[in-house]
Amino acid sequence: MRIAIPQDTERFGAVLIHGVQHVWELDASLKQRKDAYDDSNVIRRISYEELHDIEQQMAVVVPMRGERIKLVEGVLSGIPNNCLVIIASNSPRHPVDRFALEREAFARFSRFTGKKIIVAHQQDKAIAAAFRQAGYENILDPETGLVRSGKAEGMIIATMLARLAGRKYIGFVDADNYFPGAVLEYVREYAAGFVLSKSRYAMTRIAWHSKPKIVEDTLFFAKWGRTSRNTNHLLNSLLAEYTGFETEIIKTGNAGEHALTMELAMQLRYSAGYSIEPYHFINLFEQFGGLPGSTLRKKLIQEHVEIFQIASRNPHMHDTDKGDEHIDEMTLAAMQVIYHSPICPQKLKKELLEKMGEMKLSSENNEPDDTIYYPPLWQIDLAAFHNILAERPFAPLLVPTAKHRSLPKIGPALPEVRNP
Ligand code: GDD
């Protein structure tokens, strides 16, 4: 891959947010190829081997709920063979057991390709028991005793499985992507971010090239959707309140397509459902922003938490048949977590309330409801969590408990981590 270095970078305490980086070439050949266009001051050539090295340490998670199997098979075909695939499904089991059909189809896919695939169901009793055993009960629905529904909750399950499988990086791709080539590109870009990063705590977020739409019989390559435009603006306003400089640096507030180092994935607090991606930023600022009341380790300030935003080349074509209500749900979810953050300034809260009013998303008392938050996953005892999953069909793809000592220890990056 040949990729431009970031043109600008904003800093918020220990968090570095790099501006969107452009990809000049998706494949820039092997390491050994020395030519006149190797590296320049502004472009970095990342060899195939460097990408491959990261990919083989990566788990790629596909969260899904009731997607068409054919569509998901396309997504799987785009994920490089050396990545571990984790499918976190919340598809219905009644009246038709759609999950059973999925499991069969993905097992077949695995047989034909030799790809390692973990298929887990979000409502699996053993997974719920593992969280309960680990004292991570917030994620359980009090009525059913099973893991709550929601995209974030599926992602959290998958993050624990990736950790237990010993993967160093974890990436996410939605299951409803029509272009396998785009999926392959995203994974390569996740890897590129980690090649460029100097920190153990890094995240790559994809800024979609465009989302093609038919407008009056013509294909129109729209750049921003309603939700992204709104979330990016609000996150940038929050940043500006603290730095004193207006900015447009954040372009990936809602990026469903993103990847993290496992070290960072274990440090974050998560929020429920579709608010998870915007809340990454909020929680990074809360934890690592160096604001009064928080303590940053000197080492962390030097090492930084790095956020890369990479503009993909393929258009993003996904299932768009989910309606306006769904868009409103995602827009509101982002606004809720910004509004309720202890670091949200009064001025921004006022703007948020006005916007919610204009968009007719306000609740009765004019305060948005808050959402559910989940504590950092480093707190979970791995062996206790793992033991309960020993009988699951995917258990052979996890590092056996007897070898847990080979898993890197991940404790808190901060001296104190606030409990939710
Ligand atoms: N495991 C699991 N559990 N997966 C879920 C659930 C759930 O409860 N709900 C949805 N998913 C899966 C979907 O099947 C899909 O693969 C993915 O999560 C994204 O959900 P969509 O409902 O298709 O979201 P979207 O395409 O409108 O929005 C996506 O892009 C936004 C950025 O524009 C999501 O990734 C958003 O999180 C993201 O902000």
Side-chain angles (χ1 to χ4, degrees), residues 61-357:
V61 175
V62 185
M64 65 178 287
R65 180 171 57 186
E67 304 293 351
R68 283 165 292 166
I69 291 176
K70 278 235 171 318
L71 203 52
V72 189
E73 280 177 349
V75 169
L76 297 186
S77 74
I79 299 175
N81 184 274
N82 42 27
C83 298
L84 169 70
V85 177
I86 303 180
I87 297 177
S89 170
N90 196 19
S91 299
R93 306 210 66 172
H94 306 284
V96 176
D97 190 351
R98 288 189 63 154
F99 177 65
L101 300 174
E102 291 169 4
R103 206 171 33 194
E104 204 176 298
F106 303 144
R108 192 174 50 240
F109 190 93
S110 170
R111 267 202 305 282
F112 274 78
T113 57
K115 221 195 262 298
K116 293 196 175 87
I117 307 182
I118 290 180
V119 187
H121 196 266
Q122 196 156 331
Q123 316 282 325
D124 181 337
K125 283 189 183 127
I127 293 179
F131 279 116
R132 191 171 299 110
Q133 172 73 22
Y136 201 86
E137 296 199 346
N138 228 15
I139 201 165
L140 305 178
D141 182 326
E143 275 180 27
T144 61
L146 302 173
V147 171
R148 295 174 195 271
S149 276
K151 183 183 172 223
E153 290 72 4
M155 290 165 67
I156 292 173
I157 294 174
T159 305
M160 279 310 296
L161 296 178
R163 167 88 171 111
L164 286 171
R167 295 287 160 148
K168 198 171 164 194
Y169 305 98
I170 179 164
F172 298 89
V173 287
D174 286 349
D176 59 348
N177 195 322
Y178 283 100
F179 291 167
V183 173
L184 175 63
E185 181 188 351
Y186 300 153
V187 177
R188 294 266 142 93
E189 283 154 357
Y190 298 159
F194 299 130
V195 172
L196 297 176
S197 176
K198 295 181 186 65
S199 171
R200 275 177 297 160
Y201 306 111
M203 178 187 291
T204 312
R205 302 172 75 92
I206 301 297
W208 291 338
H209 169 277
S210 60
K211 248 164 106 173
K213 289 185 183 147
I214 307 281
V215 180
E216 289 172 6
D217 290 345
T218 313
L219 205 50
F220 176 69
F221 292 87
K223 188 91 189 145
W224 305 111
R226 183 150 49 98
T227 305
S228 317
R229 202 187 296 271
N230 191 52
T231 308
N232 291 339
H233 165 76
L234 294 167
L235 289 172
N236 282 318
S237 303
L238 175 74
L239 197 55
E241 284 288 321
Y242 284 95
T243 61
F245 287 88
E246 209 169 18
T247 178
E248 291 193 346
I249 195 112
I250 299 178
K251 305 266 197 231
T252 56
N254 281 98
E257 269 66 33
H258 64 270
L260 305 95
T261 57
M262 191 53 78
E263 294 254 10
L264 183 57
M266 290 290 123
Q267 305 301 327
L268 284 175
R269 272 176 101 215
Y270 293 102
S271 63
Y274 289 108
S275 63
I276 183 165
E277 286 99 6
Y279 187 66
H280 285 149
F281 280 105
I282 298 291
N283 188 241
L284 284 174
F285 299 159
E286 286 174 358
Q287 286 205 63
F288 305 106
L291 295 169
S294 68
T295 331
L296 288 179
R297 281 192 177 145
K298 199 166 156 219
K299 203 161 161 262
L300 185 69
I301 298 176
Q302 285 160 359
E303 193 176 357
H304 295 119
V305 175
E306 279 195 286
I307 304 179
F308 295 87
Q309 305 182 93
I310 300 184
S312 54
R313 285 278 170 178
N314 277 280
H316 187 90
M317 181 92 168
H318 67 152
D319 223 352
T320 48
D321 212 12
K322 294 177 180 163
D324 275 357
E325 218 174 282
H326 173 63
I327 304 286
D328 285 349
E329 186 194 343
M330 285 201 297
T331 310
L332 180 63
M335 296 206 273
Q336 282 173 325
V337 289
I338 301 174
Y339 184 93
H340 286 288
S341 167
I343 65 166
C344 182
Q346 279 310 322
K347 191 172 145 210
L348 188 57
K349 282 194 182 219
K350 200 163 158 261
E351 185 184 335
L352 275 156
L353 289 179
E354 280 165 14
K355 268 184 182 286
M356 286 184 235

Side-chain angles (χ1 to χ4, degrees), residues 375-387:
L377 294 167
W378 63 259
Q379 299 173 11
I380 290 186
D381 181 300
L382 290 184
F385 191 89
H386 191 168
N387 280 337

